[in-house]
Amino acid sequence: MLLAMAGAAVAAALLAWLAQAWARLAWHRYQQAFTAEARLRLSEFFVFVDPLQLWLLTVLLCGVGALLAYVLSGSIAVAGLCGAAGLYMPRWLAARAKAIRLARFDEQLPEALLSMAWSLRAGASLPVALRAAVADGAVPLSQELGLLLREQRMGIGLEQCLENLHARMATEACGLMCAALRIAVRTGGNLSDALERIAVNLRARLLIHRRIHALTAQGRMQAWVVGALPVLLLAVLDKLEPEAMAPLWRTPAGWTVLGLILLLEAAGIAMIRRLTRIEV
């Protein structure tokens, strides 16, 4: 009996040691992946912050969020979910910031193309027209075109600079501009007229996008209202009947129901937003 208990204790200690070693390795790898991705994302936004500081801030926020969730709900599962959501939040914020940056770039591009077309008609060369667009433009367009000019001054060819620009700003509008400039560099032609036509088409496309966005605003709002109703109902019922709602927060069956509710909520919101998204 003593030998069996000793063997079980040794096995449990070995499993615990292997688990903590695996957790430490996974944590180290996730930290390396997080800092590498953060460095890349921040460089895209021309923000120069130490990724290690951002990692420490993320871990701190995750810990505080998990602690608050445990204090408010008394559930370890809810606290774990909040902590995991805190780890995912920086990636979501970075993706959201990138989408906003791309949208602003597309909004600023027609005016920049018209400015370049007028400069070319006045007799300026393409680099001079680009410098004028950088001087008159706003962020992020001025940053991206300025980086293109700096790459040119370092000896990189214009076509490669345009490919780099399109890789950073992977939008259809930027692709049209880069294609027009590459064709003009290779074959020549009236670049000012081409840029002006692209600018007019892009401006009309942006106008259609804004009109569609306004017409589908009610559908998007309905998605958030319908998604918020079950959450508000759970909060009200928890205040009115805390004893009846206690199994939902403190039992495995209740956690399973909560997970299913969250899954269905996310699927419903995504479906409604997909129905109201119209591509032009």
Side-chain angles (χ1 to χ4, degrees):
M1 190 67 178
L2 292 175
L3 289 175
M5 293 177 62
V10 171
L14 180 61
L15 288 176
W17 181 80
L18 290 175
Q20 66 87 20
W22 177 83
R24 183 183 300 175
L25 180 62
W27 182 265
H28 183 65
R29 288 181 177 177
Y30 184 79
Q31 179 183 358
Q32 289 181 337
F34 180 91
T35 52
E37 184 176 1
R39 186 178 292 107
L40 178 62
R41 295 282 188 178
L42 292 174
S43 64
E44 290 179 353
F45 303 142
F46 293 84
V47 177
F48 303 100
V49 179
D50 187 5
L52 185 58
Q53 294 180 357
L54 184 61
W55 164 256
L56 294 176
L57 179 61
T58 302
V59 172
L60 178 62
L61 291 177
C62 289
V64 172
L67 181 60
L68 288 177
Y70 180 75
V71 170
L72 294 176
S73 65
S75 172
I76 298 178
V78 175
L81 288 175
C82 291
L87 286 177
Y88 177 75
M89 187 62 65
R91 293 188 177 183
W92 180 83
L93 291 175
R96 180 64 180 169
K98 184 174 183 179
I100 294 175
R101 183 179 178 85
L102 292 176
R104 288 180 179 174
F105 182 87
D106 284 350
E107 291 177 359
Q108 297 167 0
L109 191 57
E111 297 296 332
L113 293 178
L114 288 176
S115 174
M116 292 169 58
W118 295 335
S119 298
L120 291 173
R121 284 180 178 173
S125 61
L126 182 58
V128 174
L130 286 171
R131 282 197 292 271
V134 171
D136 297 335
V139 176
L141 185 135
S142 60
Q143 292 177 336
E144 296 296 337
L145 294 184
L147 181 57
L148 183 145
L149 291 173
R150 286 194 295 271
E151 288 178 346
Q152 263 196 302
R153 287 196 294 268
M154 292 176 62
I156 302 176
L158 179 60
E159 293 191 13
Q160 184 61 44
C161 295
L162 292 172
E163 290 180 4
N164 296 338
L165 173 63
H166 192 203
R168 295 191 302 270
M169 299 282 108
T171 63
E172 184 178 356
C174 183
L176 288 173
M177 181 193 72
C178 294
L181 293 177
R182 281 197 297 266
I183 292 173
V185 170
R186 292 177 183 176
T187 62
N190 195 343
L191 180 58
S192 60
D193 288 343
L195 293 178
E196 187 173 0
R197 285 194 297 269
I198 293 174
V200 171
N201 292 331
L202 291 180
R203 185 177 289 174
R205 187 169 178 266
L206 286 173
L207 181 61
I208 295 174
H209 268 296
R210 290 169 182 169
R211 186 173 299 175
I212 292 174
H213 188 78
L215 293 175
T216 57
Q218 183 178 359
R220 293 194 308 275
M221 181 58 67
Q222 287 176 351
W224 292 112
V225 171
V226 172
L229 283 177
V231 179
L232 295 176
L233 183 60
L234 285 175
V236 171
L237 291 177
D238 186 62
K239 291 295 183 182
L240 295 177
E241 296 290 340
E243 295 181 358
M245 295 294 292
L248 186 65
W249 312 112
R250 296 182 174 86
T251 61
W255 301 336
T256 304
V257 173
L258 286 176
L260 182 61
I261 290 174
L262 291 176
L263 181 63
L264 293 176
E265 284 280 316
I269 292 174
M271 186 177 296
I272 295 176
R273 289 181 63 84
R274 182 65 185 87
L275 291 174
T276 56
R277 186 183 302 117
I278 301 175
E279 300 292 339
V280 180

